[in-house]
Amino acid sequence: AGRATGAEAATPPGSAAPAPQPWAVQVDELAVQGGKLSWRDETLKPAWDTRLDALDIAARGLRWPSDTPATLEASARWGQATLGVNGQAGPERAELAVRWGDLVLADLAPPLAQVLRLPLAGRSQGELDLHWLAAAEGIAPRLVLDLKDLSLRDLALGSPKAPVAGWRELRVQDGQVDLLARSADLGQ
């Protein structure tokens, strides 16, 4: 003899137990203020250690499972740079406005070394809209950056004393980069 609890207690003898319910999570509002986020990327050679400071996040409408995007606002400092993101994001799509200021390009040396043979120096600031759509039956995936305003200043490719290429300022306004199609329209 024994005692049944939970679903077993509610199930009459000889009948099958009900199917377990999937997990469901709902967070109406999530806030982080003054946080720090550190990470190490060991897929890069050499490994890359970096950190976000003064991290503020406000997210609303977080649900799992859900096909409804959550609302997100975030800001942080990364080295000397200021970063900000706001918009909506979910498991199947995202529409985000991204902005940054005073970004030191040399701080991106480890990930950039994966695609550039020479070091890159300079500073950047900008604003872009990110549009992402996951692949689904009958729907092609999409990942497009609408460059509202991108500025690269004091850019130097190669040795700082004898760069292979460089310019004082490069500015792109109203451009678009389709990352999946590998195409770019640099606007003005």
Side-chain angles (χ1 to χ4, degrees), residues 9 31 35 46 53 59 81-82 87 90 92 94 104 109 115 120-121 125 129-131 134 150 160-161 171 184 188:
D53 292 303
T82 57
E92 298 175 0
V104 177
V115 294
L120 184 66
Q125 67 183 35
D129 290 335
L130 178 144
H131 309 280
L150 169 65
K161 294 182 180 182
R171 192 161 186 186
Q188 331 180 18

Side-chain angles (χ1 to χ4, degrees), residues 125-185:
Q125 67 183 35
E127 294 180 48
L128 62 83
D129 290 335
L130 178 144
H131 309 280
W132 170 71
L133 182 63
E137 190 173 326
I139 300 174
R142 181 174 184 233
L143 182 54
V144 174
L145 304 177
D146 286 332
L147 305 173
K148 291 180 160 192
D149 191 9
L150 169 65
S151 173
L152 299 168
R153 295 179 320 277
D154 301 323
L155 197 68
L157 182 61
S159 164
K161 294 182 180 182
V164 173
W167 53 83
R168 178 73 58 205
E169 183 173 16
L170 171 68
R171 192 161 186 186
V172 176
Q173 293 179 309
D174 303 321
Q176 187 176 76
V177 178
D178 186 328
L179 295 166
L180 299 180
R182 296 182 179 188
S183 68
D185 174 359

Side-chain angles (χ1 to χ4, degrees), residues 2-83:
R3 186 185 336 196
T5 60
E8 294 171 348
T11 304
S15 63
Q21 294 295 314
W23 279 90
V25 178
Q26 177 176 332
V27 178
D28 292 331
E29 191 168 308
L30 172 73
V32 173
Q33 295 178 333
K36 291 183 182 184
L37 175 64
S38 299
W39 72 90
R40 178 178 180 83
D41 188 341
E42 293 183 355
T43 64
L44 301 176
K45 301 297 179 214
W48 186 37
D49 292 298
T50 191
R51 185 174 92 192
L52 294 176
D53 292 303
L55 178 62
D56 292 338
I57 301 172
R60 290 176 291 291
L62 299 166
R63 289 173 181 70
W64 184 263
S66 174
D67 57 4
T68 304
T71 301
L72 171 71
E73 293 179 39
S75 63
R77 290 200 58 79
W78 182 52
Q80 296 177 20
T82 57
L83 308 172

